[in-house]
Amino acid sequence: MLDRIAEFFVFGFVPLVVGILAVPEQSVAAEKTVKGEVVYRERIALPPSAVLSIQLADVSLADAPATIIGEQKIKPAGQVPISFEIKFDPSVIRSRMTYALQARITVDDRLMFISDVRHQLDPLSDAPQTVVLKMVAPNDAAEAASMLGQSWLVEYIDGIGEIREPQATFRIGKTGKAGGNGPCNVYFATARVDGGSISISGIGSTYKACAPQVMAEEKALFDALARAASYKIDAGRLTISDKDGREILRFSAAS
């Protein structure tokens, strides 16, 4: 009897162990890396507080903000050439889409260098990338600073023309939060200002209904903000243009 019990435990336990060992491991998502360096042509050293931010982005849609696939922030940036490695999920890459690297160097939250030319690439290639940045002119930086935190009154909207009543406003905070009062609703968005370029995304609003003409003005305002590509401030007036350089919005500084 004891021999039979011993036989059961010895030979009956083995299949259980084998079964446990046969369980396949969980798959881990593959990861890809874009490597390279960031340089600029000016012969100046970066201060210790300089920060490099570089992103791999889907820039396929010309009339919409870029979709960030992966990014890296290097703090402190050190000195050029600055090496970078952006890790991303290769499964999100599509063959018919357009991808580019975009980078900037800031010093104490002030923009100092930026990639002003599209650096297009194949993210799945192992070729090292060299991203060349352009120094931001002091007046561009000052203009950007004068834009942030200022409330602007909407004077002109592409497709509508001059607009006075009801009064609409626009404002970008220093953290990038944007919004204001539309012709009908309160609206909000996210803005990014780089030198003389600007992009506005994530536009949303409250849901109050107004007269059809007022609602048409509001829709045109939101559409124009989504197409913003560049801006200029002159004599207390802000103008925003699309990617083709055509003026689509005009504002005056609110007192």
Side-chain angles (χ1 to χ4, degrees), residues 137-159:
N139 60 330
D140 287 346
E143 190 170 80
S146 68
M147 180 183 186
L148 303 181
Q150 170 68 50
S151 291
W152 302 92
L153 303 178
V154 182
E155 291 186 339
Y156 169 85
I157 305 174
D158 182 45

Side-chain angles (χ1 to χ4, degrees), residues 234-246:
D234 183 30
R237 275 182 162 71
L238 166 67
T239 57
I240 291 181
S241 302
D242 62 14
K243 62 182 180 63
D244 298 319
R246 186 168 60 90

